[in-house]
Amino acid sequence: MTSSTSLFIEFAIEKKVLQFGDFITKAGRNSPYFFNLGKFNDGKSLKLLGEFYANKIIDTKIDFDLIFGPAYKGIPLVSSVSVALSNKNINAPYSFNRKEIKDHGEGGQIIGSPIKGKVLILDDVISAGTSINESYTLIKKNGAQVVGVIVAIDRQEKGENSLSATQEIAKKYSIPVFSIITLGDIVNYLETGNSFNNELELIKNFQKTYGVI
């Protein structure tokens, strides 16, 4: 586990983005942890979040022309990441979609730069894959190419079959899916200290039941 990974987990715990307890996932599973990117809800947090994503984008060396964020959480995300990239001398255009097509003013479904070229999708987490599927369809409809997806966390748990939700998306569209952290990273982080022994045991049991390698 890299120092950047540890810093992101600490950042997420501090802001209560990563919480431990008893939660129900979209799949109806009892989960001992929950990750809510919406808790990065102030200027400093958003700035740091954008920097973590920007660093991940650079680390992947993926070739892209535009970053795209699915509404709603993807809207502040691509905005902050675009600014963070510009601070690294990468001027990346960005766009995001409306949930409903606007029929007045400038109209349309897309806000920001026109969707064209190689598009990198940024999202918080892939659960059922709904927002990624919708984004992929929208991007292809505009004649552009999806070259990858970057999310904050890969939960590394089984989807409809033996693959995780991120693996299913990668296989379905033949694109790479990257994450800043994984559930495995969280386990490794919790193993380094004595403050989360109970949480660690519950997460390990969850991994045994629903996890994928």
Side-chain angles (χ1 to χ4, degrees), residues 121-202:
I121 300 174
L122 307 184
D123 210 349
D124 57 346
V125 60
I126 299 175
S127 297
T130 304
S131 67
I132 300 299
N133 288 326
E134 291 175 350
S135 298
Y136 186 91
T137 300
L138 180 62
I139 290 165
K140 294 295 286 185
K141 181 180 177 182
N142 280 268
Q145 174 191 2
V146 177
V147 293
V149 178
I150 295 184
V151 294
I153 181 172
D154 180 354
R155 291 182 60 97
Q156 294 180 314
E157 62 185 79
K158 298 171 187 175
E160 296 180 359
N161 47 56
S162 61
L163 299 178
S164 70
T166 54
Q167 289 171 332
E168 287 173 354
I169 290 294
K171 181 180 180 181
K172 180 177 181 179
Y173 297 120
S174 298
I175 56 174
V177 179
F178 304 98
S179 65
I180 296 174
I181 62 170
T182 66
L183 180 57
D185 292 327
I186 294 173
V187 169
N188 291 338
Y189 176 83
L190 297 181
E191 286 177 333
T192 63
N194 299 315
S195 302
F196 298 97
N197 289 334
N198 292 335
E199 291 84 354
L200 176 60
E201 192 63 29
L202 290 170

Side-chain angles (χ1 to χ4, degrees), residues 47-88:
K47 178 178 181 292
L48 287 172
L49 180 63
E51 290 172 357
F52 275 108
Y53 268 86
N55 289 336
K56 186 65 182 184
I57 290 171
I58 293 169
D59 288 346
T60 65
K61 295 181 171 56
I62 194 165
D63 183 26
F64 69 97
D65 301 308
L66 171 89
I67 53 176
F68 178 85
Y72 290 104
K73 288 181 181 176
I75 295 174
L77 183 56
V78 290
S79 304
S80 63
V81 174
S82 181
V83 171
L85 287 170
S86 74
N87 290 333
K88 300 176 185 295

Side-chain angles (χ1 to χ4, degrees), residues 65-68 93-95 110-117 119 142 144:
D65 301 308
L66 171 89
I67 53 176
F68 178 85
Y94 73 90
S95 63
I110 304 300
I111 300 174
S113 295
I115 295 179
K116 60 184 180 180
V119 181
N142 280 268

